[in-house]
Amino acid sequence: MLKNLIMTAEIIDGKFLAHKVKEKVSKAVSTLSKENIVPGLATIIVGTDAASSIYVKNKGKSANEVGIKSFQYALPEDIVEEDLLELIEKLNQNNDVDGILVQLPLPKHINSDLVIDSIDPSKDVDGFNILNAGSLFIGRDGVIPCTPLGCLLMLRSINIDLKGKHAVIIGRSNIVGKPMAQLLLREDCTITTVHSKTKNIVKIVKDADIIIAAVGIPNFVNSSWIKKGAIAIDVGINRLKIDGKNKLVGDIKFEEAKEVTSYITPVPGGVGPMTIACLLMNTVLQCVKRNNMDQPSSLRNLF
Ligand code: NAP
């Protein structure tokens, strides 16, 4: 039941939950090591975008922390598509690699769809490959994209019954909005997806029991859009300069939204760390499947 008293929201602590997921991943990696199996994650970044470089570095560092072997490839901005596809093919064939992640966005001269679909579906850890994306759409087992999976685990962590809840997802990207909608549909939520062409967006968001904001506009949602007691999951990561200092803010005005919501995720320290934890989990799950092993018990029924 949603809280209906006027009170400050409980913060869903993404850092803490990500730590718990990583502990479970680490345990699964230890179990695999008894069979002399070490999961491997290859990350590929093209160009020198500062934010993307930090994300990729953090992913590699987090992989090493849980015992996953990390292979990092930093490629020049002007690399030709053919060379990138050749690297992916080599990684597809490399038995030490269980997961391949290509950091998006790619430069405009490279066809992202072609690149993503060239990753062996059994090594796709983002769930963006057309086969895995299709599996999620029709309810078959497959890899679930890390950010929506992180959001779902955060919702599960607060032990609410998702059945019949109205979830409004702001944003319809292939990497967040669309898979998020499919995932919550699987949880028996009633889904509305809104986007830049949606009319009466405030009215729709105001009806939400659960708001997932994945817009990429700082402080887009304010408290007047939010029904009292709703749950707010803020996916947005926006960089602002405030009083000369760089600051990360989400898509939801956190300070005022926490006065009307029952639960809310902060930025930073919310969905971001959970995305990385889910990437590590997906890598181990792909490793397990590729070795025809059972899913490790530590990764069953997370939250
Ligand atoms: P995206 O591909 O740019 O998609 C943004 C979505 O927001 C689009 O569907 C767009 O609608 C919609 N939108 C834009 N302006 C709008 C408006 N005025 N009203 C309603 N909808 C509007 O972005 P994304 O990749 O999904 O990422 C969204 C945010 O999440 C970004 O801040 C990104 O940095 C962050 N992110 C965070 C994580 C994490 O780990 N925490 C992971 C991925 C992304 P149209 O489709 O109509 O254009």
Side-chain angles (χ1 to χ4, degrees):
M1 200 174 71
L2 296 181
K3 288 193 221 170
N4 47 22
L5 298 170
I6 300 174
M7 58 168 70
T8 303
E10 275 184 40
I11 311 296
I12 308 178
D13 185 343
K15 254 189 180 167
F16 172 74
L17 293 173
H19 180 71
K20 283 177 74 170
V21 173
K22 283 201 233 167
E23 275 180 350
K24 288 166 191 270
V25 171
S26 203
K27 215 169 161 186
V29 172
S30 301
T31 310
L32 288 170
S33 72
K34 290 181 189 134
E35 308 288 332
N36 289 322
I37 295 170
V38 182
L41 172 66
T43 56
I44 302 175
I45 180 166
V46 179
T48 53
D49 177 72
S52 294
S53 302
I54 295 170
Y55 292 147
V56 172
K57 234 182 228 159
N58 286 343
K59 286 168 182 173
K61 189 169 154 254
S62 301
N64 288 329
E65 278 165 10
V66 296
I68 293 173
K69 194 165 178 200
S70 149
F71 305 83
Q72 300 193 24
Y73 298 86
L75 307 176
E77 179 88 26
D78 60 356
I79 189 169
V80 290
E81 189 177 278
E82 206 184 340
D83 290 349
L84 177 57
L85 293 173
E86 200 179 300
L87 171 63
I88 292 173
E89 189 44 36
K90 272 191 193 143
L91 296 170
N92 282 341
Q93 301 302 330
N94 184 342
N95 256 338
D96 293 336
V97 173
D98 299 286
I100 303 170
L101 176 148
V102 178
Q103 185 67 33
L104 299 176
L106 288 168
K108 288 203 166 47
H109 68 278
I110 293 178
N111 180 338
S112 302
D113 290 344
L114 189 69
V115 168
I116 290 165
D117 288 341
S118 73
I119 298 172
D120 180 337
S122 75
K123 295 192 178 192
D124 169 26
V125 277
D126 268 329
F128 298 161
N129 181 290
I130 194 159
L131 200 86
N132 286 316
S135 295
L136 177 63
F137 193 83
I138 58 173
R140 291 211 193 138
D141 280 349
V143 183
I144 298 172
C146 306
T147 300
L149 179 57
C151 294
L152 177 62
L153 293 181
M154 292 177 107
L155 287 171
R156 287 215 182 122
S157 77
I158 57 176
N159 279 321
I160 50 142
D161 186 4
L162 292 173
K163 278 191 194 67
K165 294 278 186 299
H166 183 201
V168 174
I169 296 144
I170 315 177
R172 56 173 166 177
S173 70
N174 288 343
I175 65 174
V176 188
K178 280 184 196 145
M180 190 75 242
Q182 291 306 321
L183 208 51
L184 288 179
L185 201 54
R186 264 178 28 172
E187 297 291 320
D188 294 329
C189 287
T190 302
I191 307 298
T192 307
T193 300
V194 297
H195 48 77
S196 68
K197 310 291 183 298
T198 301
K199 296 199 170 88
N200 298 323
I201 190 165
V202 177
K203 190 167 171 250
I204 297 168
V205 175
K206 189 112 192 161
D207 187 57
D209 301 313
I210 299 169
I211 300 165
I212 312 273
V215 197
I217 301 177
N219 301 318
F220 183 67
V221 178
N222 67 51
S223 59
S224 73
W225 296 31
I226 302 173
K227 179 167 77 181
K228 202 175 288 168
I231 298 163
I233 307 284
D234 194 347
V235 179
I237 301 179
N238 308 292
R239 286 170 173 74
L240 291 184
K241 212 161 201 135
I242 299 172
D243 300 332
K245 286 185 189 147
N246 291 322
K247 208 176 167 220
L248 283 188
V249 300
D251 290 344
I252 299 177
K253 269 191 178 162
F254 180 80
E255 285 307 323
E256 54 176 80
K258 77 176 169 32
E259 301 304 321
V260 285
T261 48
S262 55
Y263 296 91
I264 189 166
T265 63
V267 178
V271 177
M274 282 300 279
T275 296
I276 295 186
C278 289
L279 168 71
L280 305 177
M281 181 165 69
N282 280 348
T283 304
V284 171
L285 291 175
Q286 288 293 46
C287 173
V288 163
K289 263 193 239 159
R290 288 174 14 81
N291 286 284
N292 295 316
M293 295 169 81
D294 291 333
Q295 188 168 328
S297 56
S298 64
L299 296 183
R300 282 182 219 141
N301 303 321
L302 282 182
F303 309 123

